[in-house]
Amino acid sequence: MTAHTSLPRRAAAELIGTAGLLVVVIGSGLKAAELSPDTGVALIANSFVSAIGLGLIITLFGPLSGAHLNPVVTLTSWWARRTGGEGLGGREVLVYVVAQTAGAIGGAVLAEAMFGRTPGTFATQALDGGHLLVGEVIATAGLVLVIQGLGHIGRANLVPVAVAAYIAAAIWFTSSGSFANPAGTVGRSFSDSFTGISPGSLPGFVAAQLLGGILGLALAAFLYGTRAKDAAAPEVTGAGEPEPPSGVGPDRTAYQAVG
């Protein structure tokens, strides 16, 4: 359980989990592009594989670190603690974000090497335009709302499936393709491929994702109330068993993730 896992082990889980996520996202994109010249077919394959891989990674690493895999999700946990709920402290947030970013870069480099490409080559695909940034705001807000909403209604055990399904859908219904993850976005700038993003596009995307995280939190608070009000309710762990609050809280025991 997360409550009994040391910070170094949780950081390792975040690093390895995020690296695995980037291997899945970039690797499936590279394979899809190899097998079909049709961009639509490649996107179907990439979204399908990414969703499956994400769900498995959340299930595997959730009990260790909460499987945030995403700085936005980690910051929502910090905010929950700041507003009277339970979540990560400032030092833990810093460790998580560093681990996630390092893991994302490492996963991107590994995926490139696995397909016989030159590791560390920056992406050249520029993703500019206000409509794409709006897409990222919506994608990230929706991700946060899914995670927070399930936590509030006591269905945190559904997060692996729900988040995977949401990301698969958001890849298609958002103009940006739903990066929805600052660490993952940085990692994807190290892959000049179907799923890459040029370094010059990073500031706008990361800013949009942070804004989306704030919007998602605001929507969750409006719809479900604050965590502090729900603190007396029994917790639902990743195993789906009721558990009283243990000083760790929903933002560390619930399975959470990224896009």
Side-chain angles (χ1 to χ4, degrees), residues 33 42 49 51 75-76 84 93-94 102 111 113 117 123 154 169 179 181 190 192 196 198:
V49 174
L75 287 170
T76 64
V93 169
L94 178 60
R117 295 159 60 91
F179 285 56
N181 183 337
F190 284 81
D192 190 15
S198 67

Side-chain angles (χ1 to χ4, degrees), residues 52-249:
I52 293 174
L54 176 59
L56 291 172
I57 290 169
I58 297 171
T59 301
L60 181 62
F61 291 100
L64 294 174
S65 66
H68 293 192
L69 314 175
N70 185 335
V72 168
V73 175
T74 297
L75 287 170
T76 64
S77 175
W78 170 82
W79 180 251
R81 182 166 178 169
R82 292 277 296 178
T83 53
E86 296 179 358
L88 299 180
R91 176 171 171 266
E92 292 171 303
V93 169
L94 178 60
V95 171
Y96 266 51
V97 171
V98 170
Q100 291 157 359
T101 304
I105 295 171
V109 171
L110 178 59
E112 290 282 298
M114 184 169 61
F115 280 85
R117 295 159 60 91
T118 304
T121 302
F122 286 115
T124 56
Q125 179 175 227
L127 298 176
D128 300 318
H131 65 292
L132 298 180
L133 300 183
V134 171
E136 273 302 282
V137 171
I138 298 302
T140 312
L143 173 63
V144 171
L145 182 58
V146 167
I147 295 169
Q148 293 289 314
L150 289 173
H152 277 291
I153 64 176
R155 294 293 184 269
N157 58 310
L158 297 179
V159 167
V161 173
V163 168
Y166 173 78
I167 291 299
I171 287 173
W172 283 91
F173 76 70
T174 62
S175 58
S176 63
S178 184
F179 285 56
N181 183 337
T185 305
V186 171
R188 286 163 72 165
S189 72
F190 284 81
S191 175
D192 190 15
S193 67
F194 173 69
T195 56
I197 177 173
S198 67
S201 299
L202 290 180
F205 264 59
V206 171
Q209 290 156 3
L210 293 175
L211 180 58
I214 295 171
L215 177 59
L217 278 175
L219 287 172
F222 174 74
L223 293 170
Y224 300 102
T226 64
R227 288 286 191 182
K229 293 179 181 178
D230 299 331
E235 215 41 49
V236 176
T237 70
E241 300 175 352
E243 171 180 287
S246 62
V248 176

